[in-house]
Amino acid sequence: MLGYITWAFIAMVGYSFVFIFAKLAMDGGRISPYTVMSVSVAIVAVASLAVTLLTGEWRLDSYRGQAALMTYLTGVALTLAVVGYFTALSKGPASVVVPIYGLFIAGGAIPGILILGEAVTAKKLLGIGFACVSVILIAT
């Protein structure tokens, strides 16, 4: 069984190609960003459902209360992220859009500390700061 670090690297590699494929599809208005987004999201939805069913994780009996609300809010947040990302890629250079989008690293670490009570260390804060500085350096 693969560990979470391996899965994180797999995700990073996959996401590293999303922008280039999307940008090439939208280049010169060949395909609208919303068509590219819709097709991409449909593929993700079908694959996610298949993985959920094949692993036996489809359990709606425990789907209620706060867990259900957080699931819906996840969908809303993911919708904002995906629509914003594809729209930005269709309008601007990938070399600027992708690093700014990549700030979700800091954007996710901060609520992890503040809301989830995850440990905060000087090293972690320095890393968040460096992530922000790196985006400024890359995107400008």
Side-chain angles (χ1 to χ4, degrees):
M1 201 49 113
L2 300 177
Y4 70 93
I5 299 292
T6 303
W7 281 110
F9 275 104
I10 291 169
M12 181 272 302
V13 169
Y15 244 118
S16 295
F17 286 95
V18 168
F19 85 89
I20 192 69
F21 294 145
K23 191 72 172 164
L24 290 170
M26 295 181 285
D27 191 39
R30 285 188 279 187
I31 301 177
S32 87
Y34 306 112
T35 301
V36 175
M37 177 183 62
S38 297
V39 170
S40 302
V41 169
I43 292 168
V44 170
V46 169
S48 297
L49 181 59
V51 168
T52 303
L53 293 172
L54 290 171
T55 59
E57 294 289 326
W58 190 264
R59 292 186 215 117
L60 292 179
D61 56 324
S62 60
Y63 186 75
R64 58 174 104 54
Q66 185 176 3
L69 175 61
M70 292 301 114
T71 301
Y72 293 132
L73 290 175
T74 299
V76 170
L78 186 57
T79 299
L80 291 172
V82 171
V83 170
Y85 186 55
F86 278 83
T87 302
L89 273 177
S90 74
K91 296 177 181 292
S95 62
V96 174
V97 171
V98 174
I100 292 171
Y101 177 79
L103 269 176
F104 73 84
I105 295 166
I110 293 168
I113 293 166
L114 298 176
I115 297 169
L116 301 177
E118 294 177 355
V120 60
T121 63
K123 187 168 93 173
K124 191 176 284 187
L125 291 175
L126 192 60
I128 292 169
F130 281 148
C132 295
V133 169
S134 70
V135 166
I136 293 167
L137 292 174
I138 294 169
T140 57

